[in-house]
């Protein structure tokens, strides 16, 4: 491996993060939310390597519904990705990682890749880059590197890595003896006390060619479908769409199970400068650094005589107040509220499953729906009417479209809208409105330099988002709710 060989971060950003419900949902998972600080977890993951000359532009692997969210959030922090690869459907991490490796080899046969989830918290980016640097000598020898977190408690929510010996003070790579599943409390305490067990961070460093070779040896059933999906991938507005038919043939399996737990050439780089997978609200409480009473507050929230408690409110129009709470998580969203003992944080997934079984929209869908042109949210929903707030980015445009079942009335409350209704095009400014009859071909655009906000009143027999027929679309979306 050349001394000038740059490392390419491959950032996985397709997960659903249900353990952080109701903030994180299938429609807008936790990596795209500002959980810690002003930047989203995804932005922080990309920025971790952006200012270092040792790293190439990141390759992003995500789902179709998130493709514009990814590019918008990268643009906000001034990062131009090397590629954004679109998974046709979720198949766990092994097919995604292999697709990233095959893509990199097509660009550079000697590529070195750092496989990083987009939803982890690593406060000290410089320390983590130093840990990556410590792994490069082993990568040059054909090793697959994983990163082990020095445990500060007997955590039962993480898997562990058993090392062949105790880590050295300089943090050099140590050969991996085996992966250990999430342990019971007593066993976790034993492992932490032994000194040669680290938490499994699920972050990997390797030459792309070595990783592909490991897949060929230990997960050949993944290789064929993913190779075909990459070979037959199609460029689409700057995205690279993996071939859906081929990709669907890949088994849904994690990269740990498919390859890492079987390959004999793994080494572990210890890391002790702080890390969390933010896998539950208890982890968020811990990373927010509670005050002297153990209280963490976020958003419009207040605590009175509380201890060891997380209070988080997400809407400017509400306030969350806790009185006399001890060891409690309370998360308030406009459409859902979670209250639970902090030590039951891992059971949030059970609540999501119950809501899904009942057909509750709150299980998977946020009230705010993000689109490439901006976002909208429902303010009022009745039997035959709906009121929305719609925000359109400067220079953005909705598709030219019509509806079978609803008419619409638009009132501009901020900015300027360029509105097309059949053959008529007009500009609307604040306090002006327009009526869109059922069946009319229409479009709204924001020709200005500031966000355009309008209130939309829909009336009709069916108000679902799939009642859209698109005729033209600058974002090349197909038919359906999001295209």
């Amino acid at each position: 491996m050349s001394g000038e060989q740059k490392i390419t971060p491959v950032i996985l950003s397709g997960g659903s993060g249900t353990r952080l419900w109701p903030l994180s949902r299938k429609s807008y998972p936790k990596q795209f939310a500002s959980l810690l600080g002003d930047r989203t977890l995804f932005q922080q993951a990309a920025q971790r390597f952006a200012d270092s000359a040792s790293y190439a532009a990141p390759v992003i692997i995500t789902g179709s519904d998130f493709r514009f969210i990814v590019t918008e959030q990268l643009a906000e922090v001034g990062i131009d990705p090397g590629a954004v690869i679109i998974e046709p459907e979720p198949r766990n991490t092994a097919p995604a990682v292999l697709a990233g490796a095959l893509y990199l080899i097509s660009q550079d046969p000697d590529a070195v890749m750092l496989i990083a989830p987009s939803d982890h918290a690593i406060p000290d980016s410089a320390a983590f880059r130093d840990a990556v640097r410590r792994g490069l000598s082993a990568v040059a020898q054909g090793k697959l590197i994983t990163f082990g977190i020095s445990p500060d408690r007997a955590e039962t929510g993480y898997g562990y890595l058993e090392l062949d010996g105790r880590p050295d003070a300089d943090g050099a790579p140590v050969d991996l003896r085996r992966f250990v599943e999430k342990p019971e409390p007593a066993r976790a305490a034993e492992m932490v006390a032994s000194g040669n067990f680290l938490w499994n961070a699920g972050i990997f460093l390797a030459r792309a060619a070595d990783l592909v070779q490991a897949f060929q040896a230990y997960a050949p059933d993944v290789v064929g479908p993913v190779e075909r999906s990459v070979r037959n991938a199609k460029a689409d507005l700057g995205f690279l769409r993996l071939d859906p038919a081929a990709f669907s043939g890949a088994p849904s399996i994690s990269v740990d199970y498919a390859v890492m737990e079987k390959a004999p050439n793994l080494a572990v780089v210890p890391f002790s400068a702080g890390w969390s997978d933010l896998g539950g609200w208890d982890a968020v409480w811990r990373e927010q650094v509670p005050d002297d009473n153990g209280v963490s507050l976020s958003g419009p929230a207040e605590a009175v005589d509380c201890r060891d408690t997380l209070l988080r409110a997400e809407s400017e129009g509400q306030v969350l107040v806790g009185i006399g709470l001890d060891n409690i998580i309370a998360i308030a969203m406009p459409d859902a509220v979670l209250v639970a003992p902090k030590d039951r944080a891992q059971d949030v997934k059970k609540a999501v499953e119950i809501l899904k079984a009942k057909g509750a929209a709150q299980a998977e869908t946020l009230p705010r729906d993000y689109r490439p042109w901006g976002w909208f949210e429902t303010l009022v929903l009745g039997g035959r009417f709906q009121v929305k707030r719609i925000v359109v980015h400067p220079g953005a445009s909705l598709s030219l479209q019509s509806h079978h079942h609803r008419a619409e009335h638009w009132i501009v409350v901020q900015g300027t809208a360029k509105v097309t209704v059949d053959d008529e095009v007009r500009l609307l400014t604040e306090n002006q409105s327009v009526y869109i009859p059922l069946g009319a071909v229409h479009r709204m655009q924001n020709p200005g330099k500031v966000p355009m906000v309008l209130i939309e009143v829909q009336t009709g027999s069916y108000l679902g988002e799939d009642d859209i027929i698109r005729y033209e679309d600058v974002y090349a979306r197909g038919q359906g709710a999001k295209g």
Side-chain angles (χ1 to χ4, degrees):
M1 183 173 61
S2 163
E4 285 136 16
Q5 176 74 53
K6 288 192 174 186
I7 302 164
T8 300
V10 176
I11 300 177
L12 308 179
S13 54
S16 59
T18 56
R19 287 181 294 178
L20 291 185
W21 184 90
L23 176 68
S24 176
R25 306 188 202 179
K26 184 179 179 180
S27 70
Y28 201 78
K30 67 176 180 176
Q31 60 265 29
F32 302 122
S34 300
L35 262 173
L36 303 171
D38 296 332
R39 299 299 186 187
T40 70
L41 296 177
F42 171 73
Q43 288 172 323
Q44 292 175 31
Q47 287 180 306
R48 200 161 288 138
F49 315 106
D51 297 328
S52 172
S54 300
Y55 291 86
V59 169
I60 313 298
I61 302 180
T62 191
S64 183
D65 285 352
F66 307 138
R67 66 193 188 278
F68 294 109
I69 297 172
V70 160
T71 52
E72 181 180 322
Q73 291 201 354
L74 289 176
E76 286 177 359
V77 294
I79 294 175
D80 186 13
V84 178
I85 299 174
I86 307 300
E87 292 180 283
E89 60 181 283
R91 306 300 291 167
N92 214 315
T93 54
V97 166
L98 180 57
L102 292 168
Y103 170 79
L104 287 179
I105 289 173
S106 74
Q107 307 298 303
D108 175 8
D110 299 319
V112 175
M113 60 192 295
L114 177 70
I115 303 157
S118 61
D119 56 358
H120 290 187
I122 303 177
D124 193 337
S125 295
F128 183 71
R129 291 193 298 269
D130 185 61
V132 173
R133 181 189 54 77
R134 295 198 304 272
L136 288 176
S137 59
V139 168
Q141 298 168 11
K143 293 275 192 179
L144 309 179
I145 294 294
T146 186
F147 294 84
I149 309 303
S150 301
D152 58 8
R153 62 189 183 276
E155 175 63 56
T156 59
Y158 297 149
Y160 284 71
L161 306 168
E162 183 178 4
L163 312 184
D164 267 348
R166 284 176 173 265
D168 295 333
D170 60 1
V174 183
D175 284 345
L176 174 69
R177 180 172 297 171
R178 65 186 177 108
F179 287 81
V180 180
E181 295 292 337
K182 297 176 183 179
E184 296 297 322
R187 178 57 180 150
E190 291 174 3
M191 291 191 295
V192 171
S194 75
N196 63 327
F197 287 85
L198 304 177
W199 292 337
N200 179 12
I203 304 172
F204 302 97
L205 177 71
R207 288 187 298 211
D210 292 332
L211 191 56
V212 171
Q213 188 175 44
F215 269 94
Q216 291 169 338
Y218 303 107
D221 55 338
V222 180
V223 175
V226 176
E227 278 186 336
R228 289 191 297 275
S229 74
V230 174
R231 186 168 58 247
N232 298 326
K234 304 293 185 184
D236 175 12
L237 286 183
F239 305 107
L240 185 66
R241 287 185 176 272
L242 300 176
D243 180 71
F247 197 77
S248 67
S252 181
I253 186 172
S254 74
V255 68
D256 281 27
Y257 286 139
V259 172
M260 300 303 179
E261 294 187 3
K262 301 171 184 175
N265 59 329
L266 259 75
V268 182
V269 171
F271 183 68
S272 57
W275 167 91
S276 173
D277 72 346
L278 297 175
W281 285 114
D282 54 337
V284 175
W285 168 82
R286 193 177 297 111
E287 291 300 313
Q288 283 186 335
V289 188
D291 65 16
D292 291 343
N293 292 318
V295 174
S296 290
L297 302 177
S298 181
E302 299 291 340
V304 180
D305 296 330
C306 295
R307 299 187 61 83
D308 298 330
T309 287
L310 171 64
L311 300 177
R312 185 182 186 102
E314 290 295 322
S315 174
E316 295 177 359
Q318 64 185 181
V319 61
L320 173 63
V321 179
I323 301 176
L325 302 179
D326 189 355
N327 195 46
I328 292 295
I329 294 163
I331 313 298
M333 297 286 290
D335 65 333
V337 176
L338 169 70
V339 181
K342 187 153 52 66
D343 55 11
R344 297 288 300 275
Q346 296 302 313
D347 291 336
V348 171
K349 293 178 73 172
K350 296 179 181 178
V352 176
E353 291 302 318
I354 290 171
L355 291 174
K356 283 174 63 177
K358 292 185 174 181
Q362 291 92 334
E364 296 185 330
T365 306
L366 281 174
R368 182 172 292 185
D369 196 328
Y370 292 86
R371 299 298 172 95
W373 44 260
W375 55 268
F376 68 83
E377 61 185 351
T378 297
L379 304 177
V380 181
L381 178 61
R384 292 179 60 89
F385 76 94
Q386 181 171 206
V387 181
K388 291 181 178 179
R389 174 168 57 168
I390 299 176
V391 177
V392 183
H393 297 317
S397 171
L398 280 68
S399 62
L400 185 67
Q401 59 184 252
S402 66
H403 310 293
H404 285 306
H405 301 287
R406 71 175 184 253
E408 296 170 344
H409 191 181
W410 296 343
I411 306 101
V412 177
V413 296
Q414 178 182 307
T416 300
K418 183 180 179 181
V419 175
T420 300
V421 182
D422 290 329
D423 296 329
E424 181 183 3
V425 180
R426 56 190 287 202
L427 289 178
L428 299 179
T429 57
E430 293 176 10
N431 298 320
Q432 293 185 316
S433 63
V434 64
Y435 176 66
I436 316 295
L438 185 151
V441 177
H442 60 280
R443 165 186 278 158
M444 78 171 79
Q445 300 166 271
N446 181 357
K449 303 295 184 183
V450 298
M452 183 265 287
V453 183
L454 61 82
I455 300 300
E456 177 183 81
V457 180
Q458 301 177 352
T459 57
S461 60
Y462 178 74
L463 305 174
E465 284 302 311
D466 53 349
D467 181 20
I468 296 177
I469 304 168
R470 291 190 179 92
Y471 303 98
E472 295 176 9
D473 183 41
V474 296
Y475 307 106
R477 293 170 295 170
Q479 301 301 329
K482 291 192 176 184

